[in-house]
Amino acid sequence: MKTQAALRPYDVVLVGGGIMSATLAMLLKHLEPDWTIAVFERLPEVGSEASAAWNNSGTGHAGLCEIDYTGELPDGSIDIGHALELNERFQQTRQFLGSLVEAGILGKPDTFINPVPHMTFVRGESDVNFLRRRHETLASHPLFGSMRFSADRKAIGEWAPLLTRERDAADAIAATHDVTGSDIDFGEITRQLFHHLRWKDVEIHRNCEVRGMRRNNDGTWQLRIDWNTGNDHITRKVDARFVFAGAGGWALKVLQKAGIPEAQGYGLLPVSGRFLRCDNPAVVERHEAKVYGRAPAGAPAISMPHLDTRVVDGKRALVFGPYAGANPRFLKHGSFFDAAAALRPHNVKPLAAMTKDNRELLWLLFGQLASTRKRKLAALRDFAPTADAADWKLITAGQRAQIVKADPVRGGVLEFGTEVVAAHDGSIAAVLGSSPGASTAPAILLEVLQRCFPRYQPYWQPRLRELIPTLGHSLVRDTRLARQTVARTAEVLNLNAPLPG
Ligand SMILES: Cc1cc2nc3c(=O)[nH]c(=O)nc-3n(C[C@H](O)[C@H](O)[C@H](O)COP(=O)(O)OP(=O)(O)OC[C@H]3O[C@@H](n4cnc5c(N)ncnc54)[C@H](O)[C@@H]3O)c2cc1C
């Protein structure tokens, strides 16, 4: 291992080359074109971890299909607050992507986003009833105004024939269908953004891993980076005013290296994912939707089974899953020792409390390791009764690293969202957790900017509105603006226009 001279200092260093770093780099370059920015990615290519197309489900999460994003209140009414909030955040993503297409920064929309209706599919009287009431409540808002409900087998069969073919006639079933849904290739967005940013003097270094960090006397950060050149390993030091740990499952590891007190009490629960994938055109052409069901009892929303149309590199395929399982890695290309190496005196108690409180979930995750291909196919046939084993192969998706954090009452809690963790002086920040993740990347990174650069906000807001025109307005309250925004972004991104009414 050789140590070489330090690189020049940067205003911003982004650790990791996934969708989060690409989005933040794009926002910062738009706001402050003169800032020096460098990205360090440990793999040979950017966008190869969780953001890569086949490592995630590619669902543009907008609350259109995820039944577990709505709940029933004690008075029997349906709580749609979370679904509305998520949809509003996704509308920011649509605007961000649309503005970049109009500016010629992103290529043709169908290279990274495609219209794929979102459906929820349920069985059993109780869930049929819930879905009906859920639809009545949601569809009154224009963000969900294109959602249609049916408990009629023929109508559901027209939306998604694979769901109803040879299904037991005694099964009570119902579905909602929303034409405004989308399938997204987040890896392709990452690549296109970095391709543009390279021309704007953002340095993108690959095959180099950030291995150490320390504070300089002036409050800036020094990063120790190992370059793998193929024949040789070189270590270099780099100074930065601001560091963003866009390192996916390894973001906590970066924060731990930095040693900021704000990261204390955080741990991670790694969850692996596998999918069944079908490329047989005769099957693929019979399904045109992302169909989400209910997660098994005791399992979180990330376990909602779904049968999805995917559009990757212009080709269509179907995937079914995720078969979430236990695996100690925080990244797909991470280390078997990730979970053990992240243990610290301050996160042992939260992790122990989480383990005690989530025994059912942990059993489910370990149980999945023993699940045979036959059992996986049985789960698929709950959705598509005629699925033929010969058409489906197992693929391994990315790793999720769910947040575990200290809790004053329970000792530690498991969370399924994403959370921004930032130093009090705003010199370093990270995004932990993975759900709904990439779909809401612009909203998450706007929060990073607000937390880390509060003094810049008055100057930045008008520039940010060039990319996200509705910023500062509530699409939940301003229903006219909501309607206009969905229609406008559908046009720019070649997505399905919202249905009238
Ligand atoms: C199975 C699964 C299904 C999902 N489905 C969806 C979905 O349908 N819709 C959705 O919106 N989201 C989904 N997600 C979540 C989404 O994929 C993530 O939120 C998103 O990709 C995270 O992006 P990222 O940039 O933070 O991380 P990543 O894409 O993982 O990128 C992090 C990068 O950092 C690099 N890195 C890490 N440590 C270092 C280091 N020390 N030095 C240098 N480089 C480093 C890694 O190599 C990697 O390239 C899913 C995730 C999984 C796993």
Side-chain angles (χ1 to χ4, degrees):
M1 176 97 61
K2 295 178 199 156
T3 302
Q4 289 210 344
L7 289 176
R8 66 184 173 124
Y10 297 96
D11 292 310
V12 176
V13 160
L14 305 163
V15 183
I19 186 88
M20 296 296 169
S21 287
T23 305
L24 185 60
M26 187 63 231
L27 288 168
L28 282 171
K29 215 45 206 175
H30 183 72
L31 295 167
E32 297 292 341
D34 296 333
W35 284 10
T36 52
I37 303 178
V39 183
F40 295 94
E41 166 55 52
R42 64 191 282 266
L43 296 178
E45 289 303 331
V46 294
S48 308
E49 267 289 342
S51 303
W54 295 110
N55 284 346
N56 62 68
S57 307
T59 302
H61 284 299
L64 303 174
C65 54
E66 308 85 346
I67 189 167
D68 291 339
Y69 288 0
T70 42
E72 189 159 2
L73 295 170
D75 67 359
S77 62
I78 309 292
D79 179 5
I80 61 166
H82 182 44
L84 280 171
E85 187 196 333
L86 176 62
N87 193 302
E88 179 164 36
R89 286 162 79 85
F90 185 63
Q91 297 310 325
Q92 295 191 342
T93 301
R94 285 174 56 135
Q95 292 175 69
F96 177 72
L97 297 175
S99 300
L100 298 182
V101 168
E102 286 180 317
I105 292 170
L106 288 176
K108 279 173 59 189
D110 64 2
T111 58
F112 61 87
I113 188 165
N114 283 278
V116 174
H118 284 193
M119 291 180 67
T120 307
F121 176 64
V122 293
R123 287 169 307 151
E125 290 300 344
S126 152
D127 272 352
V128 168
N129 183 281
F130 175 79
L131 194 67
R132 179 180 284 113
R133 289 182 294 126
R134 176 183 187 270
H135 169 256
E136 276 162 15
T137 318
L138 276 176
S140 60
H141 196 284
L143 291 175
F144 295 89
S146 298
M147 190 181 277
R148 300 291 180 261
F149 169 88
S150 181
D152 174 58
R153 196 165 286 254
K154 195 161 160 264
I156 297 171
E158 273 162 25
W159 288 333
L162 294 184
L163 299 182
T164 51
R165 260 185 83 203
E166 292 184 28
R167 181 170 294 282
D168 187 341
D171 259 7
I173 58 171
T176 53
H177 182 268
D178 195 313
V179 291
T180 63
S182 55
D183 177 76
I184 305 182
D185 182 343
F186 298 108
E188 182 58 24
I189 296 175
T190 305
R191 282 187 293 279
Q192 291 192 18
L193 287 180
F194 279 135
H195 179 77
H196 164 79
L197 289 163
R198 199 171 285 134
W199 288 101
K200 296 281 165 190
D201 294 330
V202 171
E203 289 179 23
I204 296 153
H205 302 273
R206 286 163 295 174
N207 294 308
C208 42
E209 185 174 320
V210 174
R211 301 293 290 264
M213 283 187 72
R214 71 172 184 82
R215 276 268 197 195
N216 293 318
N217 290 337
D218 61 359
T220 59
W221 290 97
Q222 184 176 81
L223 294 90
R224 184 168 51 78
I225 301 171
D226 279 4
W227 250 265
N228 181 355
T229 59
N231 306 323
D232 231 341
H233 285 254
I234 297 166
T235 297
R236 289 180 115 166
K237 298 204 169 128
V238 170
D239 283 346
R241 278 198 307 129
F242 172 70
V243 176
F244 175 66
W250 275 17
L252 181 64
K253 208 164 145 175
V254 177
L255 291 182
Q256 288 182 339
K257 284 185 205 308
I260 58 165
E262 290 79 1
Q264 296 210 352
Y266 282 92
L268 295 173
L269 173 70
V271 180
S272 67
R274 303 190 84 185
F275 289 106
L276 283 169
R277 171 175 164 179
C278 169
D279 293 288
N280 179 350
V283 183
V284 174
E285 71 187 17
R286 273 189 268 142
H287 186 78
E288 171 79 27
K290 283 176 176 279
V291 185
Y292 277 61
R294 257 222 201 275
I302 57 159
S303 316
M304 283 179 285
H306 46 100
L307 176 61
D308 285 17
T309 297
R310 297 298 321 271
V311 190
V312 179
D313 295 333
K315 286 200 201 86
R316 283 177 180 255
L318 301 185
V319 292
F320 179 78
Y323 301 100
N327 183 318
R329 290 179 175 81
F330 289 167
L331 287 172
K332 187 172 176 177
H333 302 98
S335 157
F336 185 79
F337 301 104
D338 279 347
L343 285 176
R344 295 287 182 281
H346 56 75
N347 64 19
V348 169
K349 195 173 150 208
L351 283 162
M354 177 282 294
T355 310
K356 196 164 115 281
D357 288 353
N358 291 278
R359 285 207 192 100
E360 207 176 335
L361 168 64
L362 297 175
W363 274 117
L364 264 166
L365 295 177
F366 280 104
Q368 199 51 245
L369 298 179
S371 165
T372 56
R373 181 176 159 82
K374 206 168 151 196
R375 268 207 233 153
K376 290 185 170 72
L377 281 162
L380 166 63
R381 288 191 187 116
D382 273 351
F383 266 69
T386 55
D388 180 349
D391 290 327
W392 297 82
K393 65 173 183 211
L394 258 185
I395 59 168
T396 302
Q399 287 285 119
R400 290 179 191 266
Q402 304 300 149
I403 302 168
V404 178
K405 64 195 259 197
D407 180 80
V409 182
R410 290 158 65 189
V413 286
L414 176 62
E415 300 207 332
F416 291 96
T418 32
E419 188 172 325
V420 174
V421 178
H424 70 282
D425 64 354
S427 62
I428 180 168
V431 176
L432 301 183
S434 62
S435 201
S439 299
T440 54
I444 292 169
L445 295 156
L446 289 176
E447 185 188 335
V448 169
L449 294 181
Q450 271 158 14
R451 301 253 310 261
C452 297
F453 300 94
R455 282 185 302 119
Y456 289 79
Q457 292 305 313
Y459 316 104
W460 283 358
Q461 285 301 313
R463 294 282 286 154
L464 287 171
R465 273 196 282 277
E466 290 167 5
L467 297 176
I468 303 172
T470 66
L471 205 63
H473 297 274
S474 165
L475 296 187
V476 175
R477 284 196 300 276
D478 191 339
T479 52
R480 195 158 152 258
L481 185 62
R483 214 171 273 121
Q484 283 169 356
T485 305
V486 179
R488 160 109 186 95
T489 51
E491 201 178 311
V492 179
L493 294 172
N494 284 340
L495 297 174
N496 288 329
L499 298 178

